Each structure stands twice: as C-alpha cells, then as structure tokens.
Amino acid sequence: MAAELWINENTGEMRIGDLALLQPYQMKGSIEPLVIGLLEGSRDYGNGFEWLYLGGLTFGGLPARLSICFHNRRLEQASWSVRLPDAPTEAGWPTREAIDSELSFVRETLVRDMNIHAGQKPWGEVWSSFDAKGFMAANGLRYTEA
C-alpha cells in the first residue's frame, strides 16, 4: 500500500502516510529510519548537500516520488513528481502536454486538499512550474528560517 504525501499549510511539515512526519530542519538521522522502506536511492554531494529519493508514495491519489534535500544534515527542501495515467510520452520522456497536465494536477491538489497556493509562506516557499532547462515539471518546497 502506497503512503500518501501530505503537506501542512501552516507549518510546511510533510506527512508520509503513517510512516513519518517530516519537519523543517529535522535531522537526517531521525528521518532516514522512518522512510527506509521507501528508499530508492541517495546521494551525498560531499559539500554538505545530501538527497534521499523515495518511491512508493501517492500524491492526490496518484503514484508519486519524493526527493528530500538535507544541508548539513538538516531537512531544507523537497521536490516531488506525480505519474499521471496515460500521460503522453516521446521516446520514453513526457511531452510538454504531459508536463503541463502534471503541473495542473499538482496545483489543483495542493489547493483542494491542502489549502496551499504556490508562492511564499511564513515557513518557506512552494512551487509548481515548468523547468525549461530540465524540460520537466518542478514541484517542491523550501524552508526558510524565520
């Protein structure tokens, strides 16, 4: 059973089903054991930035993946993608139409289910936009210290 990704509009905390509640600036060592069953990979850039890549999630009821970023072992940002059913592809890559559909779905889900509009929040920033350089949907959040 996939774990639903949920974001708290007031705090930016991310809930991953019943497995984990991820809080801004939470230490990597306290998160990793909670999500180990979802872990698909990790990357340490050797400059203070580390990423965990999680699968087996849903967002708005559809299959999703989550990447969480730690700076100096503290959770600072996250990005996610959603796989829409029957999304058009070209040579295995999503088309611009598929990307726009994902962005629309993510924005609608954020507003409808979580009361979150993209933009600045007291706890940070949320975005859902087209990344022209990567030719992909970019959905994410970043925490900013008060």
Side-chain angles (χ1 to χ4, degrees), residues 23-92:
Q23 299 173 318
Y25 304 106
Q26 186 175 348
M27 297 302 292
K28 180 183 176 205
S30 68
I31 293 174
E32 204 165 15
L34 302 174
V35 299
I36 197 74
L38 302 172
L39 190 63
E40 292 185 337
S42 63
R43 182 150 190 181
D44 183 345
Y45 284 90
N47 61 359
F49 286 94
E50 299 174 80
W51 287 83
L52 295 179
Y53 305 107
L54 309 179
L57 302 171
T58 62
F59 183 85
L62 294 179
R65 287 193 158 81
L66 176 69
S67 301
I68 50 180
C69 176
F70 300 88
H71 183 233
N72 295 327
R73 305 197 58 80
R74 295 173 10 145
L75 178 61
E76 284 197 359
Q77 94 179 35
S79 60
W80 66 94
S81 62
V82 178
R83 186 168 37 92
L84 300 178
D86 302 320
T89 61
E90 291 176 358

Side-chain angles (χ1 to χ4, degrees), residues 127-140:
W127 64 88
S128 180
S129 58
F130 176 67
D131 176 347
K133 185 176 180 181
F135 200 81
M136 62 184 213
N139 309 297

Side-chain angles (χ1 to χ4, degrees), residues 1-7 14-20 38 55-64 66 82 105 109 112-114:
M1 179 108 169
E4 179 77 9
L5 173 61
W6 188 270
I7 303 164
M14 294 177 285
R15 179 169 297 284
I16 300 176
D18 294 330
L19 299 175
L38 302 172
L57 302 171
T58 62
F59 183 85
L62 294 179
L66 176 69
V82 178
F105 175 81
T109 301
R112 181 189 65 237
D113 296 351
M114 302 169 214

